[in-house]
Amino acid sequence: MNRVLALVEGQTEQTFVRDVLAPELALRGVYLTARLIGKPGHKGGMRSYAAARHEILKLLQEDARRYCTTMFDYYRLPTDWPGRLRSTQLGVPDCALALEDATHGDICQKLGEPFDPRRFIPHVQLHEFEAMLFVAPAVVAKAAQAEHVAPRLQRILDEFRHPEAINDGPETSPSK
């Protein structure tokens, strides 16, 4: 049995992990849970890398047999994130991979030699999680048992080249 805790930045990601990923992975002997970053009762979002780092380190130190991953959007990650400046000079998907590598290196360095680096698997999504809802509007609407929203989702998608293009600013991000 492998236990994995996903540190997520929002309630949408937390629900996705709990309702979609966890049941599928449990069938394969992987027990996945999600924890919202930040203090209990807060609605998500990233404050700073220092705060995220503190939580990641705490999670890895409190249970030496649990794996930890992240589910953070590249979009609007704090500027103090390791590798953030370098990532802005890279193309897709290298910018997210650079952040994952830099985050992994920083966390492993802080935990030191006895830490097994395989226990931390950072994941930075290139685009907001909500962009996935626009990949196949009819399928998403049917799965959500809300088929009446499919035309609305399709109209939004038709305004852009692809779902990731929706993610271009605070007022037009997919979560809006």
Side-chain angles (χ1 to χ4, degrees), residues 3-175:
R3 291 177 295 113
V4 180
L5 187 135
L7 189 60
V8 301
E9 69 174 298
Q11 293 171 338
T12 304
E13 292 86 353
Q14 187 177 36
T15 300
F16 176 71
V17 168
R18 182 190 66 226
D19 295 352
V20 178
L21 296 180
E24 287 298 316
L25 290 173
L27 297 173
R28 293 159 178 80
V30 176
Y31 298 94
L32 178 66
T33 57
R35 185 177 299 172
L36 193 61
I37 193 165
K39 296 180 180 174
H42 122 112
K43 296 188 181 188
M46 199 66 60
R47 300 180 314 265
S48 68
Y49 176 69
R53 179 187 200 212
H54 176 79
E55 285 195 53
I56 293 166
L57 292 170
K58 181 179 163 194
L59 292 172
L60 288 165
Q61 291 170 327
E62 73 184 18
D63 184 345
R65 296 185 337 174
R66 177 176 60 203
Y67 290 79
C68 182
T69 188
T70 61
M71 193 172 186
F72 300 149
D73 296 334
Y74 180 84
Y75 175 74
R76 294 180 73 179
L77 267 181
T79 56
D80 68 337
W81 208 271
R84 182 70 165 143
L85 180 61
R86 181 176 177 270
S87 76
T88 62
Q89 301 164 353
L90 302 173
V92 174
D94 295 332
C95 54
L97 296 173
L99 288 173
E100 291 171 354
D101 288 346
T103 304
H104 188 265
D106 179 64
I107 295 297
C108 291
Q109 178 184 11
K110 182 66 177 172
L111 289 171
E113 190 60 40
F115 175 70
D116 179 355
R118 296 175 298 176
R119 288 187 42 232
F120 180 53
I121 308 160
H123 173 66
V124 176
Q125 299 180 151
L126 189 56
H127 304 285
E128 272 196 88
F129 169 81
E130 291 83 358
M132 289 194 291
L133 302 176
F134 293 93
V135 171
V139 173
V140 169
K142 184 175 182 178
Q145 298 177 348
E147 293 182 55
H148 64 282
V149 302
R152 183 172 175 216
L153 292 173
Q154 188 62 52
R155 279 194 301 276
I156 293 169
L157 178 58
D158 290 344
E159 293 178 33
F160 300 90
R161 293 184 341 262
H162 49 76
E164 292 83 3
I166 298 169
N167 190 25
D168 68 350
E171 302 305 318
T172 59
S173 63
S175 59

